[in-house]
């Protein structure tokens, strides 16, 4: 394992052990559940939207280290973004996890780039972003309690 891979792996494990923004938001604008049946990962993502921006994001749930670290990193990355910017972030993250490389704008999310080589774990890393995407759609549709979304039902990658 190269030095950088070790640094990235350590960063992922650190987020899994000490997740940021864990727990329900109260109040929240939208609450979205997401599942990854192939691994058993379950997330609940909460967003609080003000003036068209995500001013708070949090998550709850359980699952493997990669799913929990990705959710922790996602809640940090999405904070302060407009809903359009958050949607662009999801698109760039999915491109990275398909193996297209990390866009510099992904910031700390780049620590998850190595997961693109672990095909069985790609859905674990993508779950937080599929759930975020569904949360944004639900919010845009005026729904605060959205139906559960499965990573298996999202488009490949
Ligand atoms: Zn998993």
């Amino acid at each position: 394992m190269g030095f950088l891979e070790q640094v990235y792996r350590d960063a992922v494990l650190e987020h899994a052990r000490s997740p940021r923004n864990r727990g329900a938001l109260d109040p929240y604008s939208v609450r979205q559940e997401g599942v990854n049946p192939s691994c058993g990962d379950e997330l609940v993502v909460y967003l609080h939207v003000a003036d068209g921006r995500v001013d708070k994001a949090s998550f709850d749930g359980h699952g493997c280290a990669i799913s929990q670290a990705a959710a922790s990193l996602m809640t940090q990355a999405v904070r302060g973004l407009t809903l359009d910017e958050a949607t662009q972030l999801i698109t760039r993250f999915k491109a990275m996890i398909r193996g297209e490389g990390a866009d510099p704008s992904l910031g700390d999310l780049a620590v998850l780039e190595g997961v693109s080589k672990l095909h069985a774990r790609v859905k674990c890393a993508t779950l937080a972003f599929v759930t975020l995407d569904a949360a944004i759609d639900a919010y845009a549709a005026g729904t605060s309690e959205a139906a559960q979304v499965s990573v298996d039902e999202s488009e490949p990658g």
Side-chain angles (χ1 to χ4, degrees), residues 120-142:
R121 314 310 298 279
V122 162
K123 286 180 179 175
C124 301
T126 308
L127 174 61
F129 293 85
V130 168
T131 309
L132 173 64
D133 203 14
I136 291 169
D137 285 350
Y139 177 80

mmCIF file of all heavy atoms in Angstrom, residues 120-142:
data_model
loop_
_atom_site.group_PDB
_atom_site.id
_atom_site.type_symbol
_atom_site.label_atom_id
_atom_site.label_comp_id
_atom_site.label_asym_id
_atom_site.label_seq_id
_atom_site.Cartn_x
_atom_site.Cartn_y
_atom_site.Cartn_z
ATOM 1 N N ALA A 120 -17.081 -4.264 -4.886
ATOM 2 C CA ALA A 120 -18.134 -4.716 -3.978
ATOM 3 C C ALA A 120 -18.546 -3.624 -2.996
ATOM 4 O O ALA A 120 -19.608 -3.713 -2.380
ATOM 5 C CB ALA A 120 -17.665 -5.951 -3.208
ATOM 6 N N ARG A 121 -17.701 -2.579 -2.856
ATOM 7 C CA ARG A 121 -17.975 -1.547 -1.848
ATOM 8 C C ARG A 121 -18.448 -0.229 -2.442
ATOM 9 O O ARG A 121 -18.732 0.706 -1.706
ATOM 10 C CB ARG A 121 -16.723 -1.290 -0.993
ATOM 11 C CG ARG A 121 -16.029 -2.539 -0.507
ATOM 12 C CD ARG A 121 -16.987 -3.543 0.153
ATOM 13 N NE ARG A 121 -17.629 -3.013 1.338
ATOM 14 C CZ ARG A 121 -17.055 -2.964 2.533
ATOM 15 N NH1 ARG A 121 -15.841 -3.415 2.705
ATOM 16 N NH2 ARG A 121 -17.697 -2.480 3.567
ATOM 17 N N VAL A 122 -18.525 -0.165 -3.761
ATOM 18 C CA VAL A 122 -18.916 1.100 -4.412
ATOM 19 C C VAL A 122 -20.292 1.559 -3.920
ATOM 20 O O VAL A 122 -20.494 2.741 -3.618
ATOM 21 C CB VAL A 122 -18.868 0.943 -5.948
ATOM 22 C CG1 VAL A 122 -19.660 2.040 -6.644
ATOM 23 C CG2 VAL A 122 -17.413 0.960 -6.435
ATOM 24 N N LYS A 123 -21.236 0.620 -3.802
ATOM 25 C CA LYS A 123 -22.581 1.003 -3.351
ATOM 26 C C LYS A 123 -22.568 1.509 -1.910
ATOM 27 O O LYS A 123 -23.399 2.339 -1.540
ATOM 28 C CB LYS A 123 -23.548 -0.177 -3.486
ATOM 29 C CG LYS A 123 -23.949 -0.460 -4.923
ATOM 30 C CD LYS A 123 -24.898 -1.632 -5.004
ATOM 31 C CE LYS A 123 -25.301 -1.893 -6.441
ATOM 32 N NZ LYS A 123 -26.136 -3.112 -6.530
ATOM 33 N N CYS A 124 -21.641 0.997 -1.105
ATOM 34 C CA CYS A 124 -21.528 1.452 0.290
ATOM 35 C C CYS A 124 -21.175 2.945 0.324
ATOM 36 O O CYS A 124 -21.737 3.708 1.109
ATOM 37 C CB CYS A 124 -20.452 0.655 1.031
ATOM 38 S SG CYS A 124 -20.757 -1.122 1.059
ATOM 39 N N ALA A 125 -20.224 3.345 -0.533
ATOM 40 C CA ALA A 125 -19.791 4.741 -0.578
ATOM 41 C C ALA A 125 -20.832 5.625 -1.255
ATOM 42 O O ALA A 125 -20.962 6.803 -0.930
ATOM 43 C CB ALA A 125 -18.454 4.847 -1.314
ATOM 44 N N THR A 126 -21.577 5.052 -2.197
ATOM 45 C CA THR A 126 -22.538 5.836 -2.973
ATOM 46 C C THR A 126 -23.838 6.065 -2.207
ATOM 47 O O THR A 126 -24.563 7.015 -2.486
ATOM 48 C CB THR A 126 -22.836 5.123 -4.316
ATOM 49 O OG1 THR A 126 -21.596 4.831 -4.957
ATOM 50 C CG2 THR A 126 -23.648 5.996 -5.257
ATOM 51 N N LEU A 127 -24.138 5.189 -1.235
ATOM 52 C CA LEU A 127 -25.434 5.249 -0.540
ATOM 53 C C LEU A 127 -25.745 6.654 -0.003
ATOM 54 O O LEU A 127 -26.862 7.157 -0.187
ATOM 55 C CB LEU A 127 -25.458 4.218 0.602
ATOM 56 C CG LEU A 127 -26.698 4.259 1.505
ATOM 57 C CD1 LEU A 127 -27.966 3.980 0.719
ATOM 58 C CD2 LEU A 127 -26.546 3.266 2.652
ATOM 59 N N ALA A 128 -24.772 7.289 0.662
ATOM 60 C CA ALA A 128 -25.028 8.615 1.250
ATOM 61 C C ALA A 128 -25.421 9.627 0.173
ATOM 62 O O ALA A 128 -26.243 10.516 0.422
ATOM 63 C CB ALA A 128 -23.792 9.105 2.004
ATOM 64 N N PHE A 129 -24.855 9.466 -1.023
ATOM 65 C CA PHE A 129 -25.087 10.443 -2.099
ATOM 66 C C PHE A 129 -26.399 10.166 -2.828
ATOM 67 O O PHE A 129 -27.085 11.103 -3.238
ATOM 68 C CB PHE A 129 -23.874 10.461 -3.042
ATOM 69 C CG PHE A 129 -22.675 11.005 -2.334
ATOM 70 C CD1 PHE A 129 -21.883 10.177 -1.558
ATOM 71 C CD2 PHE A 129 -22.387 12.358 -2.373
ATOM 72 C CE1 PHE A 129 -20.813 10.682 -0.838
ATOM 73 C CE2 PHE A 129 -21.320 12.874 -1.658
ATOM 74 C CZ PHE A 129 -20.530 12.026 -0.894
ATOM 75 N N VAL A 130 -26.752 8.873 -2.958
ATOM 76 C CA VAL A 130 -28.065 8.512 -3.507
ATOM 77 C C VAL A 130 -29.167 9.009 -2.556
ATOM 78 O O VAL A 130 -30.206 9.532 -2.982
ATOM 79 C CB VAL A 130 -28.145 6.982 -3.720
ATOM 80 C CG1 VAL A 130 -29.573 6.529 -3.995
ATOM 81 C CG2 VAL A 130 -27.225 6.564 -4.866
ATOM 82 N N THR A 131 -28.918 8.875 -1.262
ATOM 83 C CA THR A 131 -29.900 9.319 -0.263
ATOM 84 C C THR A 131 -30.007 10.843 -0.262
ATOM 85 O O THR A 131 -31.112 11.398 -0.204
ATOM 86 C CB THR A 131 -29.505 8.789 1.131
ATOM 87 O OG1 THR A 131 -29.269 7.380 1.048
ATOM 88 C CG2 THR A 131 -30.612 9.045 2.151
ATOM 89 N N LEU A 132 -28.860 11.521 -0.373
ATOM 90 C CA LEU A 132 -28.861 12.988 -0.470
ATOM 91 C C LEU A 132 -29.620 13.447 -1.713
ATOM 92 O O LEU A 132 -30.419 14.397 -1.657
ATOM 93 C CB LEU A 132 -27.412 13.497 -0.515
ATOM 94 C CG LEU A 132 -27.239 14.998 -0.785
ATOM 95 C CD1 LEU A 132 -27.836 15.847 0.335
ATOM 96 C CD2 LEU A 132 -25.750 15.323 -0.969
ATOM 97 N N ASP A 133 -29.374 12.783 -2.827
ATOM 98 C CA ASP A 133 -30.038 13.127 -4.090
ATOM 99 C C ASP A 133 -31.559 13.012 -3.933
ATOM 100 O O ASP A 133 -32.320 13.904 -4.338
ATOM 101 C CB ASP A 133 -29.538 12.166 -5.183
ATOM 102 C CG ASP A 133 -29.699 12.735 -6.583
ATOM 103 O OD1 ASP A 133 -29.937 13.954 -6.726
ATOM 104 O OD2 ASP A 133 -29.589 11.947 -7.538
ATOM 105 N N ALA A 134 -32.002 11.914 -3.311
ATOM 106 C CA ALA A 134 -33.439 11.709 -3.090
ATOM 107 C C ALA A 134 -33.998 12.762 -2.135
ATOM 108 O O ALA A 134 -35.129 13.233 -2.301
ATOM 109 C CB ALA A 134 -33.683 10.299 -2.548
ATOM 110 N N ALA A 135 -33.202 13.147 -1.131
ATOM 111 C CA ALA A 135 -33.640 14.172 -0.174
ATOM 112 C C ALA A 135 -33.847 15.508 -0.883
ATOM 113 O O ALA A 135 -34.821 16.222 -0.615
ATOM 114 C CB ALA A 135 -32.608 14.316 0.944
ATOM 115 N N ILE A 136 -32.944 15.853 -1.788
ATOM 116 C CA ILE A 136 -33.056 17.115 -2.533
ATOM 117 C C ILE A 136 -34.299 17.085 -3.430
ATOM 118 O O ILE A 136 -35.059 18.055 -3.494
ATOM 119 C CB ILE A 136 -31.773 17.378 -3.349
ATOM 120 C CG1 ILE A 136 -30.616 17.679 -2.393
ATOM 121 C CG2 ILE A 136 -31.975 18.521 -4.342
ATOM 122 C CD1 ILE A 136 -29.248 17.692 -3.062
ATOM 123 N N ASP A 137 -34.516 15.938 -4.099
ATOM 124 C CA ASP A 137 -35.719 15.792 -4.941
ATOM 125 C C ASP A 137 -36.989 15.927 -4.099
ATOM 126 O O ASP A 137 -37.961 16.567 -4.522
ATOM 127 C CB ASP A 137 -35.723 14.430 -5.645
ATOM 128 C CG ASP A 137 -34.736 14.354 -6.804
ATOM 129 O OD1 ASP A 137 -34.185 15.415 -7.177
ATOM 130 O OD2 ASP A 137 -34.522 13.250 -7.321
ATOM 131 N N ALA A 138 -36.987 15.289 -2.924
ATOM 132 C CA ALA A 138 -38.163 15.337 -2.050
ATOM 133 C C ALA A 138 -38.411 16.773 -1.597
ATOM 134 O O ALA A 138 -39.549 17.252 -1.618
ATOM 135 C CB ALA A 138 -37.953 14.418 -0.847
ATOM 136 N N TYR A 139 -37.343 17.460 -1.214
ATOM 137 C CA TYR A 139 -37.483 18.856 -0.775
ATOM 138 C C TYR A 139 -38.042 19.708 -1.906
ATOM 139 O O TYR A 139 -38.949 20.524 -1.691
ATOM 140 C CB TYR A 139 -36.127 19.398 -0.310
ATOM 141 C CG TYR A 139 -36.205 20.844 0.089
ATOM 142 C CD1 TYR A 139 -36.703 21.215 1.345
ATOM 143 C CD2 TYR A 139 -35.813 21.853 -0.790
ATOM 144 C CE1 TYR A 139 -36.807 22.544 1.706
ATOM 145 C CE2 TYR A 139 -35.908 23.184 -0.435
ATOM 146 C CZ TYR A 139 -36.405 23.525 0.817
ATOM 147 O OH TYR A 139 -36.514 24.848 1.161
ATOM 148 N N ALA A 140 -37.504 19.511 -3.106
ATOM 149 C CA ALA A 140 -37.962 20.285 -4.269
ATOM 150 C C ALA A 140 -39.431 20.020 -4.561
ATOM 151 O O ALA A 140 -40.137 20.899 -5.072
ATOM 152 C CB ALA A 140 -37.103 19.949 -5.485
ATOM 153 N N ALA A 141 -39.896 18.800 -4.225
ATOM 154 C CA ALA A 141 -41.292 18.433 -4.453
ATOM 155 C C ALA A 141 -42.185 18.837 -3.280
ATOM 156 O O ALA A 141 -43.380 18.557 -3.289
ATOM 157 C CB ALA A 141 -41.400 16.924 -4.697
ATOM 158 N N GLY A 142 -41.590 19.469 -2.269
ATOM 159 C CA GLY A 142 -42.373 19.938 -1.134
ATOM 160 C C GLY A 142 -42.674 18.874 -0.095
ATOM 161 O O GLY A 142 -43.574 19.016 0.713
#
